[in-house]
Structure formats: structure tokens, C-alpha cells
Amino acid sequence: MLAALFLLGATGCAVTVEDRGYVAPPPLPPMEQLEQAALVDPEDYSGGADGVVSFITADRTVACSLTAARGPHINLPYEQNSFSDSENNKLAIVPVAHCELARYPKPQTEDVADDCAATNLGYLGGVALLTPDAATYGECRSGVTQMEAAYGPRGSKAGPLAQLTVLADGKILERNGLRCSAYNGGVACGNVSAGVGFFVSPDHYELIAGPAANPPAATAGASKTP
């Protein structure tokens, strides 16, 4: 016994003792996560010459792209779209972050952003979109998301989404002022400078609006003389 203690002291080995009372700190709020976590090189996630940056989470529940949109037409490398059609060239190009989920919650009534051609039917969850000044959840569609087709309960686990690079938990990608981070069982995306963003995961989502504009300062009324 004494020999064992002497050897421990001579070698300088440390013994780790588990602290059973330790409680891990809660995850940061989404916008704080996007401000503080480490950026990674977007080149490893680039899908081509157009500069689109795409990734998938390690558990294959969320896939996202930091890309661009012309009106409603979003440039996604894994989904058919009309972004490059010549008739859309007149539309302004806007940087966006777009995420799809394999499993997802329903949109809350107050978050429904489209009446779906005046039918008020077919607004489904599973998709989140961030522009520089707004975040939305859900879209009008009649089928499943591409992620649902690939990694949902009956997913094929094949196709373009299966080729995306995994973004490690806690890491951040940035493009054109927008950031996305895989963390807390989902993905947060945001425009940090504007305070606008979203968090999506298979069991819940959160839309984050920017700080309310400061009301104009009150000005004294002009004096009147009789």
C-alpha cells in the first residue's frame, strides 16, 4: 500500500473524482450561441461556384443552407428551384438561411405567414427561413420536406442530402452576415447584428424578432403667442 502511494506521488499522476453534485449549465440562448461559438471554415461546406454553404446535423434531423433568394425562389443545391430562371433575374438577390427538418412540430397559429392561395390549407411545419430582417417557420406545400423524404420515419437515407457535410455540435458557419450553429439538439440561425433569428429542432422551434425600434423622442410643441 505504501509502495503504491509512493509511486503515485513520484509519477505525478492525477486521479479524477466524479462530482456527483455537478449540474451542467443550461444551453445559451440562440442569439448568444451565435455570438460566442467558434466559426468554422465554410470552404468545407461549399457546394459549388455559387457560394452556397450547406450542412446537416450529426443526428440527421436538420439540414440547412446559407444561400440566397430571389423573391420566393431560394437557391438550394438539394432541391429543385427557379432561382436561376431568366425571368427571375429582375428580382433582388437577398441572403437567406434555410433549414429543413426530418421530424418537426406544427406551426403555432400566430406564426402562420401565408394563406396558401386563399385556401388557409396546407401551411405545414418543417421549414424555417431567415432573411436579414425576419424569421419565419412553415410553408405552403402538399408533400413532405426533402429531409423528411430522406431521414423521416420512412426515409430513404439517400440522395443529395445524404452527401452533405456534418456541422459539429457547437460550431458555427457564416455567410453574408447570417450565421447558423448546430447546438442543443437542433440548429440556430440568425443575423446577430439585427437580433433576428430562429431555433429549430424535432420537438420545438423559436422565432426571434429583433429589438423593437426605439420610439421617436418627444418634441416640445411650438409655442403659440396670442
Side-chain angles (χ1 to χ4, degrees):
M1 180 67 178
L2 289 175
L5 291 174
F6 175 78
L7 179 61
L8 179 62
T11 58
C13 294
V15 177
T16 301
V17 178
E18 180 182 357
D19 182 358
R20 296 184 179 180
Y22 173 76
V23 177
L28 292 171
M31 299 307 291
E32 290 186 29
Q33 167 71 14
L34 293 171
E35 287 186 82
Q36 298 182 23
L39 288 168
V40 297
D41 188 351
E43 287 299 319
D44 296 334
Y45 301 84
S46 179
D50 55 5
V52 177
V53 174
S54 302
F55 67 89
I56 195 167
T57 55
D59 60 3
R60 302 320 195 261
T61 58
V62 189
C64 302
S65 287
L66 288 160
T67 181
R70 285 188 172 112
H73 311 290
I74 303 172
N75 187 17
L76 296 172
Y78 40 79
E79 193 168 302
Q80 288 188 340
N81 61 82
S82 303
F83 177 84
S84 298
D85 289 1
S86 58
E87 59 266 29
N88 295 325
N89 289 343
K90 61 185 178 182
L91 300 174
I93 297 177
V94 178
V96 299
H98 178 277
C99 292
E100 293 187 9
L101 292 89
R103 295 178 287 107
Y104 48 85
K106 294 180 179 179
Q108 297 294 317
T109 301
E110 61 270 23
D111 295 328
V112 174
D114 197 317
D115 64 6
C116 301
T119 65
N120 293 310
L121 298 172
Y123 194 89
L124 304 175
V127 173
L129 180 68
L130 172 72
T131 65
D133 56 7
T136 58
Y137 177 75
E139 65 178 0
C140 295
R141 68 172 189 274
S142 58
V144 299
T145 67
Q146 291 293 319
M147 270 296 287
E148 196 172 358
Y151 290 106
R154 300 179 182 178
S156 64
K157 297 179 175 59
L161 287 166
Q163 308 303 315
L164 295 182
T165 302
V166 170
L167 181 63
D169 192 61
K171 301 300 183 182
I172 289 178
L173 283 166
E174 182 177 39
R175 181 178 185 267
N176 290 335
L178 305 182
R179 292 183 171 189
C180 287
S181 176
Y183 97 115
N184 195 25
V187 171
C189 293
N191 177 356
V192 173
S193 62
V196 177
F198 64 72
F199 173 80
V200 288
S201 72
D203 57 7
H204 77 283
Y205 73 91
E206 178 183 355
L207 299 179
I208 304 157
N214 293 326
T219 57
S223 61
K224 296 182 180 180
T225 57

